[in-house]
Amino acid sequence: MSTDYEFNHRHLLGLADYSAQDIQYVLSQADRFLEILNRPVPKIPTLRDKTIVNLFYENSTRTRLSFELAQKRMGADVVNFSSSSSSVSKGESLKDTIRNIESMKIDMVVVRHSSPGTAHFVARTVNAAILNAGDGAHEHPTQALLDMFTMRQKFGKVAGLKVVIIGDIAHSRVVRSNIIGLRKLGAEVIICGPKTLMPPSPDELGVTVSHDLEACLEWCDVAMALRIQMERQGQGLFPSLREYHERFGIKKRHLKEFPNFTIMHPGPVNRGVELESEVADSERSIILNQVTNGLAVRMAALYLLSGGQRI
Ligand code: NCD
């Protein structure tokens, strides 16, 4: 694999720390891994001498499976730790777990936690490469990388794309990482949703704010819908899921009215809330491509942070 770019990161804690060139480099490495995944035997020994622990303090289906499969496709030894966020006293048990990790020879840690800054804390505490798989409403860098990879695959490039991100902006780590990454790569971003689901100072995010879904669908190349993060919000931020769907859900009729936009969603999709079922399953949706590409992007990130034994 080409080594013409100096990739100097030890961790992937958030896209805030990565330059446009770093992001492009990860995406270009992911192209190679996608090609490997399409081989009859999609396995390589790149991480054969590495031990990786997946620490999931918050629920996850896709992200955890995707990381684990990426690690196994690359021959790593994998240990999984999951805990439901409600049943542990988080601060204490995280410290305990980290002490244990320190005592074993662990090379890389993938961590998801409901508290913003957890991945940074683990990076300061443990001598291993840390990948943030989501820290509260802060960042989810591999999700944004796979989203940008999928846009680039569909449209050829991210620069100049018009992207609207719809829904629970205030509580979403996916939107935060995407805004950072998409702006660095030169996309135009609008965030759209009810006023009550916008962060306190949306202007600071450097994007345009809209409350008019149909105007956004007419304007955009990509409409990325987000799940309402019930677990991260208090009561009463919108009247009901039904009303939310009425105003901000993408419906089958929108596909006819606005023939150009492509649909994305990080999952899990609440059918009938952010997307009508027919929209999620339509030919305009690239949601399952996002899942496939997630594997390639995570393989690329693991490869680059493992110290890069050549493939
Ligand atoms: C997202 C997450 O966990 O932040 N999902 C994911 O990683 N695939 C979005 C969500 O939970 O709504």
Side-chain angles (χ1 to χ4, degrees):
M1 193 165 272
S2 124
T3 49
D4 49 3
Y5 181 75
E6 282 277 315
F7 182 82
N8 282 325
H9 293 278
R10 171 128 170 74
H11 308 293
L12 176 55
L13 304 178
L15 292 189
D17 313 323
Y18 277 46
S19 68
Q21 289 73 19
D22 294 330
I23 293 171
Q24 296 283 18
Y25 190 62
V26 179
L27 302 187
S28 70
Q29 300 298 302
D31 285 331
R32 303 288 303 271
F33 286 100
L34 193 62
E35 182 262 306
I36 289 168
L37 286 170
N38 288 326
R39 289 181 190 166
V41 183
K43 271 202 116 175
I44 47 170
T46 317
L47 300 181
R48 150 182 78 187
D49 58 341
K50 304 289 180 202
T51 306
I52 306 179
V53 59
N54 295 315
L55 279 184
F56 278 74
Y57 285 89
E58 241 192 11
N59 294 343
S60 173
T61 310
R62 232 155 321 258
T63 306
R64 197 176 60 74
L65 286 179
S66 179
F67 265 114
E68 189 176 343
L69 197 54
Q71 294 153 2
K72 290 185 167 162
R73 292 268 189 261
M74 299 170 86
D77 287 325
V78 180
V79 193
N80 289 310
F81 171 94
S82 351
S83 132
S84 113
S85 52
S86 57
S87 63
V88 286
S89 151
K90 288 169 203 143
E92 210 170 22
S93 80
L94 181 64
K95 252 191 203 150
D96 275 351
T97 312
I98 288 174
R99 279 203 201 100
N100 281 286
I101 292 172
E102 273 186 302
S103 325
M104 301 179 217
K105 193 195 155 296
I106 301 280
D107 301 291
M108 308 179 90
V109 179
V110 176
V111 61
R112 167 172 286 197
H113 199 284
S114 58
S115 297
T118 300
H120 293 74
F121 171 70
V122 178
R124 284 195 302 275
T125 317
V126 183
N127 184 24
I130 311 302
L131 291 95
N132 184 4
D135 58 332
H138 179 226
E139 276 229 41
H140 190 354
T142 57
Q143 180 67 45
L145 287 166
L146 76 88
D147 291 337
M148 290 185 283
F149 184 86
T150 307
M151 290 179 206
R152 175 176 162 279
Q153 184 180 58
K154 165 94 191 168
F155 295 96
K157 60 180 179 165
V158 174
L161 276 185
K162 295 176 180 165
V163 181
V164 58
I165 309 181
I166 305 150
D168 188 353
I169 308 297
H171 302 95
S172 171
R173 52 197 175 205
V174 174
V175 81
R176 223 157 299 279
S177 291
N178 261 299
I179 288 174
I180 296 169
L182 286 166
R183 291 189 66 219
K184 284 184 178 171
L185 296 199
E188 268 184 83
V189 184
I190 292 184
I191 50 176
C192 176
K195 285 198 176 79
T196 47
L197 294 181
M198 288 290 161
S201 323
D203 304 341
E204 285 170 15
L205 297 170
V207 295
T208 307
V209 179
S210 167
H211 308 292
D212 181 346
L213 175 68
E214 300 197 344
C216 291
L217 294 180
E218 180 154 35
W219 169 83
C220 71
D221 300 305
V222 174
M224 183 189 292
L226 301 173
R227 185 178 65 88
I228 305 284
Q229 307 273 307
M230 289 298 189
E231 70 277 29
R232 276 185 240 292
Q233 51 177 265
Q235 298 286 303
L237 291 181
F238 53 92
S240 69
L241 288 176
R242 206 168 61 86
E243 264 185 61
Y244 176 83
H245 177 69
E246 277 310 306
R247 268 200 75 193
F248 294 101
I250 305 180
K251 300 167 199 73
K252 202 172 146 193
R253 68 176 169 82
H254 290 139
L255 299 177
K256 281 212 186 81
E257 284 167 38
F258 309 108
N260 293 322
F261 71 91
T262 293
I263 297 136
M264 296 178 70
H265 193 303
V269 175
N270 287 315
R271 288 172 182 258
V273 181
E274 56 268 13
L275 300 178
E276 247 175 25
S277 221
E278 292 89 337
V279 172
D281 298 332
S282 81
E283 284 183 359
R284 302 260 293 276
S285 154
I286 51 172
I287 296 173
L288 293 177
N289 305 36
Q290 289 173 264
V291 178
T292 306
N293 291 337
L295 198 50
V297 163
R298 292 187 172 107
M299 287 172 83
L302 289 162
Y303 160 73
L304 289 171
L305 299 172
S306 70
Q309 181 191 314
R310 289 180 122 219
I311 62 164

